[in-house]
Amino acid sequence: MEQPEQDDLITVEEYLAGERQAEVRHEFIGGQTYAMVGGTDRHNRIALNLATALHPHARKTGCGLFMADMKVRLAVAGEDAFYYPDLMVACDPSDDQPYYRTAPCLLLEVLSSSTQRIDRREKLFAYTTIPSLQEYLVVAQNEPRVEIHRREADGWVTYTVRDQGTVDIRCLGTGVDLATIYADLPPPRED
């Protein structure tokens, strides 16, 4: 892949201004933007099921629960980056920018065939550099399976809940069972 010329890069301010008017959402890494593709009905329902299950717990703990349109801002290898996680929980009241958060405790991505490599590698690497992050969940779309990347005392550990069981969400002090996450979905198909 050819590297862009320095003149082709945009600033964070230009990116944020453009996103407020854009018809298509873009993620931003080091001065470059990347258009986001739309999700499937299964993708959307999984994210909604999780948000519905977690919303009362977020309210009870004073945390903010955000879906799809709220960005997370971080630095990746010294470069500014903005991603749109499918779901984000942020509890720090001083983390209150109107278009993004910098200190989430939970980030979640629902996999699709076009994004799974990025979600499992690039975003895993990037998200786990956020000091406040406790958990990063990667949720399969076509089978009941959730990968939980959790910050433990001695580093990041990965757990998988498959077929049945409960996904513990430590940052909210609750859990969500797989039956709830995958409730009322249309049949799986190629995305």
Side-chain angles (χ1 to χ4, degrees):
M1 180 190 308
E2 188 174 319
Q3 292 295 321
E5 294 294 323
Q6 195 66 22
D7 294 342
D8 295 338
L9 302 178
I10 64 171
T11 66
V12 166
E13 294 73 22
E14 290 168 328
Y15 165 71
L16 291 171
E19 282 299 280
R20 285 194 288 277
Q21 301 168 8
E23 292 182 25
V24 175
R25 296 180 306 156
H26 298 83
E27 293 187 328
F28 174 94
I29 303 169
Q32 297 180 64
T33 60
Y34 302 89
M36 302 280 299
V37 296
T40 65
D41 52 355
R42 287 179 66 85
H43 181 284
N44 205 298
R45 286 186 187 185
I46 289 167
L48 182 58
N49 287 346
L50 278 155
T52 301
L54 295 177
H55 187 251
H57 302 284
R59 290 185 74 191
K60 204 180 309 181
T61 59
C63 296
L65 174 68
F66 303 96
M67 284 187 66
D69 287 333
M70 179 62 82
K71 295 176 277 301
V72 61
R73 181 181 187 173
L74 59 144
V76 178
E79 299 282 352
D80 284 306
F82 289 85
Y83 292 107
Y84 282 98
D86 290 316
L87 192 135
M88 173 171 42
V89 175
C91 300
D92 181 348
S94 67
D95 186 20
D96 63 351
Q97 291 293 320
Y99 300 107
Y100 61 86
R101 294 293 183 263
T102 60
C105 64
L106 171 71
L107 293 171
L108 182 144
E109 298 286 358
V110 179
L111 294 177
S112 68
S113 59
S114 63
T115 65
Q116 69 178 332
R117 189 175 59 79
I118 291 169
D119 293 341
R120 282 194 168 126
R121 288 179 160 182
E122 177 184 317
K123 288 185 179 180
L124 173 62
F125 171 77
Y127 289 168
T128 57
T129 66
I130 300 171
S132 62
L133 191 70
Q134 296 175 32
E135 295 153 319
Y136 171 45
L137 276 54
V138 179
V139 182
Q141 191 173 156
N142 291 327
E143 65 174 310
R145 181 178 43 81
V146 178
E147 297 165 13
I148 304 125
H149 302 278
R150 181 171 290 135
R151 186 185 305 269
E152 300 285 0
D154 56 348
W156 286 90
V157 179
T158 301
Y159 305 92
T160 302
V161 178
R162 180 182 306 230
D163 297 326
Q164 59 186 0
T166 300
V167 176
D168 291 323
I169 310 291
R170 288 190 183 166
C171 122
L172 292 177
T174 191
V176 182
D177 61 76
L178 289 184
T180 299
I181 295 170
Y182 292 94
D184 305 320
L185 298 182
R189 53 186 173 255
E190 289 299 314
D191 55 316

